[in-house]
Amino acid sequence: MNAIEDNAYRRSWQALGQELLARVERPRLILCISAHWLTRGWQLTAMSDPRTIHDFGGFPQALFDQQYPAPGAPALARAISEQVHQPGTALALGLDEADWGLDHGSWSVLKPMFPEANIPVVQLSMDYSRPPAEHFALGQQLRALRERGVLIVGSGNIVHNLRTMRREVADDQAYDWTIEFDAVTAGHIEQGRLGALSDFQQLGALAHMAHPTWEHYLPLLYAAGAVAPDEAPRFFNDRFQAASISMRSVVWG
């Protein structure tokens, strides 16, 4: 609902998009890693007109009516697939020319940021069967793309436990374990210990409470992997929703 409601989260995304568009070098391509496209092996969307996917249920019709008609970039997707290899192998990234599109992990963030939908978007899937360190390693390969005007967007949550949500609580309230996991993660980011983000499972029960499944955490590893040495982070939306979701977001560059 943050994608369509007039709230602080959406306004922060809008402000970030305006900031990026005001730069001398605007993004020429958006590469988005969403928590909602899980595959065996890694794939890139490679269609000219990716469809808007409404992969959720139980929400108002206004959310299902949303469309984000950003163009794809088949040629650039092919070029990226040849440059970036799947961790642990020499295989190129796979190309999806027809099936997927832009799921709500992508368009719900990109639409407030770039409402005109005139920047091409390619989505990168995640192989959920692979260890977190490999997701970070793939992110490190994406760093070179930034030098060619590619905006890397990781869309997930630092804490995401839908099983324990309490919709009635205020945005500054959360479970102790939500606050602790968010603080540990923020500390790694602030201190530049980005490789340590891959070790979140070593936190044991705390990590399991923050992420009963960890697909919403993994997109952070791609963005962190693409960070240049000594590049300072900037946090925004650093609040909580429904007690068990951290909305903390971070920008590098």
Side-chain angles (χ1 to χ4, degrees):
M1 292 301 295
N2 293 325
I4 60 174
E5 292 181 343
D6 181 21
N7 59 29
Y9 303 112
R10 187 168 184 267
R11 289 193 292 272
S12 290
W13 288 327
Q14 290 172 320
L16 177 60
Q18 293 168 3
E19 174 191 327
L20 294 173
L21 291 176
R23 295 184 179 184
V24 174
E25 295 187 7
R26 297 165 46 139
R28 61 185 290 255
L29 174 73
I30 299 168
L31 180 65
C32 189
I33 303 95
S34 161
H36 295 275
W37 191 23
L38 306 179
T39 55
R40 281 285 183 171
W42 281 266
Q43 299 181 33
L44 295 162
T45 54
M47 63 285 293
S48 298
D49 299 295
R51 65 190 176 99
T52 302
I53 302 173
H54 301 91
D55 49 332
F56 45 75
F59 289 93
Q61 185 61 40
L63 202 59
F64 291 91
D65 291 340
Q66 297 299 305
Q67 295 292 317
Y68 193 66
L76 291 175
R78 284 192 290 272
I80 293 171
S81 75
E82 295 170 359
Q83 176 181 344
V84 179
H85 64 267
Q86 306 204 30
T89 74
L91 296 176
L93 301 180
L95 294 174
D96 178 357
E97 299 179 342
D99 293 333
W100 201 247
L102 303 180
D103 59 54
H104 83 272
S106 289
W107 64 258
S108 67
V109 175
L110 296 181
K111 187 167 186 177
M113 290 177 65
F114 307 110
E116 294 185 5
N118 55 6
I119 302 174
V121 181
V122 170
Q123 242 192 255
L124 170 64
S125 74
M126 302 188 299
D127 187 338
Y128 186 74
S129 70
R130 306 306 302 165
E134 291 191 6
H135 297 268
F136 183 79
L138 201 157
Q140 290 178 305
Q141 295 183 64
L142 303 180
R143 186 181 304 164
L145 299 178
R146 295 178 57 196
E147 299 173 1
R148 302 197 307 232
V150 179
L151 173 65
I152 310 296
V153 176
S155 176
N157 291 98
I158 287 178
V159 178
H160 186 272
N161 187 336
L162 299 185
R163 303 172 189 175
T164 58
M165 288 175 62
R166 294 179 57 192
R167 296 183 183 276
E168 76 278 8
V169 305
D171 283 1
D172 58 352
Q173 295 180 313
Y175 296 108
D176 289 344
W177 50 263
T178 303
I179 296 170
E180 183 178 357
F181 189 91
D182 176 77
V184 169
T185 304
H188 288 320
I189 293 171
E190 288 178 315
Q191 298 301 317
R193 299 188 299 266
L194 302 182
L197 295 171
S198 300
D199 300 328
F200 72 100
Q201 290 168 304
Q202 294 180 12
L203 296 172
L206 177 63
H208 182 71
M209 288 300 297
H211 292 279
T213 58
W214 52 89
E215 72 280 352
H216 277 78
Y217 182 85
L218 295 177
L220 172 64
L221 301 183
Y222 293 81
V227 173
D230 301 322
E231 199 167 19
R234 173 164 51 103
F235 291 128
F236 67 101
N237 282 347
D238 50 349
R239 300 180 72 186
F240 305 102
Q241 280 193 304
S244 61
I245 296 177
S246 168
M247 294 297 291
R248 180 185 298 275
S249 304
V250 56
V251 178
W252 288 277

